[in-house]
Amino acid sequence: MPIFVLPFPVIDPVAVNIGPVPLRWYALAYIGGFIFGWLGLRALAANDALWRRGQPRPSRESLDDLLVFVAFGVVIGGRLGHVLIYDPAFYFAHPLEIFQTWKGGMAFHGGLVGAIIGMVLYARRSGVPLLTVSDICATVAPIGLFFGRLANFIKPEMWGRESDVPWAMVFPGAGDIPRHPSQLYEAGLEGVALGLLLWLAARHGALKHPGLATGLFGVGYGLARIFCEFFREPDPVQEALPNGLTMGMVLSTPLVLVGAAAILFALRPRSATA
C-alpha cells in the first residue's frame, strides 16, 4: 500500500434532474462533445485561410446534417460495437440491456465505424470529398473523447491497474487496492494532447492536404490508446488477451497503420498540373 493515496471524488452519476427525468453525466458528456464539436466544425469551415483556394469543403449550413449523420453513427456504432465485441453472450441473453446505454458500455472502435458510415452518407449527399469530411471531423473528435473519458472517470469505470504512484486512487467497485486513474490519462492524451496537435496542424495547412488530419488522428489516437492500455485494467474475460495484450491494443494497431498510410498519401508529391 502506498503512503499517499488520492481520495476518489465521489460524484453523483446524475448531474441534474429535469422534473422526473434524470440527466446523467454520461449523457452530458455526449451532448457536450457534439455541441462543442459542432462549433469547432463551423469554425473550421468558415476560416478561408485553412483551405486552398477553390477547395471543396462543407458549407456552414450543411454542417447540421453532418452532425446528425455522425452523431447517430457514433451512438449506434459505439453501442453495437460494445455489444458485439466485448460481451455478446450477455446481451444476446438480455436483449433489452442493449438499449440501456445510461449504464455505460460504448466502444470507441464501434463508434468510429458508425461515424465513418455517417461521413460517407454525408459526403455522397453534399458532394464534398470524403477525405475532406473526415479531416474536419478528425480535427474536432478529441473534444468528444475528452468529455467521454471524464464520464468514464465520474461513473467510475475503465479504471487503471494496481499502482503505488502518489496519485493512485481507490475506485468504488474496484476493491481496496489503489489504482492508476487511467481515464484521466486517456482524457489528457486522447483529448487534450491529440486535440492540440490536430488544431495546430490545421492552422499550419493540414486541411489543404486531404487525408492528412485523418491520418494524424489515426496515428495519434492509436498510439495514445495503446500506451494507456498499459495502465488500464482490462476485463479478464472481455478484454485481456495472451502475452499481456488487450483488445484495445489489438483494435488500435490498424488505426496506426491506416493513419500512417493516409499521411503518406496526403503528403505525396503532386505533379505540376495537379
Side-chain angles (χ1 to χ4, degrees):
M1 288 286 291
I3 298 176
F4 299 104
V5 177
L6 290 178
F8 177 77
V10 179
I11 301 173
D12 190 333
V14 177
V16 63
N17 288 290
I18 303 176
V21 180
L23 186 58
R24 299 174 181 270
W25 288 106
Y26 216 88
L28 280 180
Y30 278 86
I31 294 171
F34 289 134
I35 290 176
F36 286 104
W38 173 73
L39 293 174
L41 289 174
R42 289 175 63 86
L44 292 173
N47 192 339
D48 293 335
L50 303 181
W51 307 88
R52 296 195 314 271
R53 184 184 299 273
Q55 180 181 0
R57 67 181 193 260
S59 66
R60 294 186 68 179
E61 294 74 19
S62 71
L63 289 176
D64 294 346
D65 295 333
L66 175 58
L67 179 68
V68 172
F69 282 123
V70 172
F72 274 100
V74 167
V75 174
I76 297 173
R79 187 57 171 173
L80 290 180
H82 177 80
V83 169
L84 298 176
I85 297 173
Y86 292 106
D87 205 357
F90 171 80
Y91 287 105
F92 290 162
H94 307 85
L96 292 180
E97 291 279 343
I98 296 175
F99 303 99
Q100 299 181 25
T101 55
W102 59 86
K103 293 184 177 180
M106 300 288 283
F108 165 81
H109 298 89
L112 178 62
V113 172
I116 291 173
I117 294 174
M119 288 186 285
V120 170
L121 294 175
Y122 169 81
R124 289 182 175 179
R125 179 174 176 174
S126 66
V128 177
L130 178 58
L131 281 179
T132 298
V133 176
S134 67
D135 280 345
I136 62 171
C137 289
T139 303
V140 303
I143 299 173
L145 291 173
F146 174 75
F147 283 116
R149 295 312 182 193
L150 290 185
N152 295 147
F153 179 76
I154 291 172
K155 193 176 183 307
E157 62 181 357
M158 299 171 59
W159 46 69
R161 301 174 190 260
E162 297 178 7
S163 174
D164 60 357
V165 296
W167 54 87
M169 294 182 178
V170 176
F171 288 91
D176 299 326
I177 304 299
R179 298 176 178 276
H180 284 286
S182 57
Q183 312 98 320
L184 300 183
Y185 300 172
E186 293 187 85
L189 287 177
E190 301 169 8
V192 178
L194 183 56
L196 288 175
L197 170 65
L198 287 165
W199 276 97
L200 287 173
R203 288 180 61 86
H204 287 81
L207 296 177
K208 298 177 182 179
H209 304 275
L212 180 54
T214 300
L216 289 173
F217 175 82
V219 172
Y221 175 84
L223 292 178
R225 177 66 182 269
I226 291 170
F227 174 78
C228 290
E229 286 290 308
F230 287 103
F231 300 94
R232 188 169 75 87
E233 181 71 32
D235 183 282
V237 176
Q238 302 174 6
E239 299 176 308
L241 300 175
N243 302 315
L245 296 176
T246 68
M247 185 66 74
M249 293 178 182
V250 171
L251 294 176
S252 296
T253 299
L255 280 180
V256 177
L257 299 177
V258 172
I263 292 172
L264 292 176
F265 173 81
L267 297 180
R268 72 194 186 282
R270 301 175 184 271
S271 65
T273 58

